[in-house]
Amino acid sequence: MELAHYSDFAVRLVNTEEPARGKDTLTSVEVLRDLFGPAAQMARRVTEADLPRFRSVRTRLRAVFAAADEGDHTGAVDLLNSLLLEFPVSPQISGHETLDEEGRPRWHMHLADHSSNATTGYAAISAMGLAFHLTEFGPDRFGLCQAAPCRNAYLDTSTNRSRRYCSDRCATRANVAAYRARKRLEADRTERDDPTGLSAENSQESVTPGDR
């Protein structure tokens, strides 16, 4: 498992909540287990006691994305460092289940889980994943969706650092909203410039029958 993959853990957890919509899907042990994805061994340790702990970690991870999104890169790093100090990891070299063409292990770095509970393990790999992503690509790659009221977290992997939305769906919704706003503005300007509508009528009367 590549270290960059671990940053996805943080994104998945942050996006279980949509504060502007008052939505929170972090409501059961089953939901918590689903967050781990293929990391089934860690997921088996989840209990009801992890629910409030996961929500607390989620708040802190969202704060990292919010600071980076607002351009406060030093603040984002400080928040992430505090998570790394509280939830340390044990990196190990691993080659399990990944073999090359000659049947030899494909050695890679793996974040071993020696945590006392599921929350600690999840927080540790989430924070470390974001740390690797930040140091390799920069804090300006951390964003919150600009399609209000979404505000889901995302990691910008575009070549020109142009991503502003968490998904194609939000990008389309934002573009449609912007188009409609422009049309309303144009209509308002027309109404202000010609409140009687006479210009439009005169324009229609000036068209010759042949042109119609």
Side-chain angles (χ1 to χ4, degrees), residues 51-136:
L51 279 167
R53 294 196 291 250
F54 263 74
R55 293 190 187 107
S56 176
V57 171
R58 179 181 63 187
T59 298
R60 296 172 66 182
L61 288 172
R62 176 173 282 277
V64 174
F65 279 91
D69 187 66
E70 294 167 2
D72 182 9
H73 295 168
T74 299
V77 169
D78 288 343
L79 290 167
L80 192 49
N81 274 334
S82 69
L83 284 164
L84 291 170
L85 286 172
E86 185 173 345
F87 302 105
V89 296
S90 302
Q92 293 182 348
I93 300 173
S94 176
H96 61 83
E97 298 179 0
T98 52
L99 304 177
D100 61 18
E101 294 79 4
E102 298 180 11
R104 297 174 300 189
R106 295 183 185 273
W107 301 111
H108 59 275
M109 291 300 295
H110 176 80
L111 301 184
D113 176 38
H114 303 302
S115 56
S116 59
N117 58 67
T119 304
T120 300
Y122 198 98
I125 59 180
S126 295
M128 184 57 72
L130 289 184
F132 279 113
H133 199 96
L134 185 147
T135 53
E136 183 171 357

Side-chain angles (χ1 to χ4, degrees), residues 5-201:
H5 169 80
Y6 289 104
S7 59
D8 292 338
F9 281 74
V11 174
R12 287 202 296 269
L13 177 55
V14 171
N15 291 345
T16 59
E17 181 184 32
E18 296 183 67
R21 291 189 172 113
K23 292 184 178 180
D24 184 352
T25 61
L26 209 59
T27 57
S28 68
V29 168
E30 289 71 24
V31 172
L32 291 183
R33 287 173 178 158
D34 287 342
L35 287 173
F36 284 92
Q41 184 174 355
M42 285 193 293
R44 283 196 290 269
R45 299 210 312 269
V46 173
T47 68
E48 290 285 347
D50 286 300
L51 279 167
R53 294 196 291 250
F54 263 74
R55 293 190 187 107
S56 176
V57 171
R58 179 181 63 187
T59 298
R60 296 172 66 182
L61 288 172
R62 176 173 282 277
V64 174
F65 279 91
D69 187 66
E70 294 167 2
D72 182 9
H73 295 168
T74 299
V77 169
D78 288 343
L79 290 167
L80 192 49
N81 274 334
S82 69
L83 284 164
L84 291 170
L85 286 172
E86 185 173 345
F87 302 105
V89 296
S90 302
Q92 293 182 348
I93 300 173
S94 176
H96 61 83
E97 298 179 0
T98 52
L99 304 177
D100 61 18
E101 294 79 4
E102 298 180 11
R104 297 174 300 189
R106 295 183 185 273
W107 301 111
H108 59 275
M109 291 300 295
H110 176 80
L111 301 184
D113 176 38
H114 303 302
S115 56
S116 59
N117 58 67
T119 304
T120 300
Y122 198 98
I125 59 180
S126 295
M128 184 57 72
L130 289 184
F132 279 113
H133 199 96
L134 185 147
T135 53
E136 183 171 357
F137 302 108
D140 55 336
R141 293 286 190 164
F142 291 23
L144 292 175
C145 186
Q146 299 300 302
C150 177
R151 303 301 282 167
N152 271 350
Y154 64 84
L155 294 169
D156 185 1
T157 56
S158 64
T159 56
N160 57 357
R161 300 172 183 261
S162 62
R163 185 172 178 180
R164 298 176 58 223
Y165 307 105
C166 69
S167 64
D168 290 340
R169 179 181 179 182
C170 276
T172 299
R173 183 161 55 84
N175 290 334
V176 170
Y179 172 79
R180 290 174 177 171
R182 288 195 301 271
K183 287 300 182 181
R184 286 195 297 270
L185 182 59
E186 291 172 3
D188 290 343
R189 286 174 176 170
T190 300
E191 177 66 21
R192 286 197 303 270
D193 295 341
D194 184 23
T196 64
L198 292 177
S199 295
E201 292 179 7

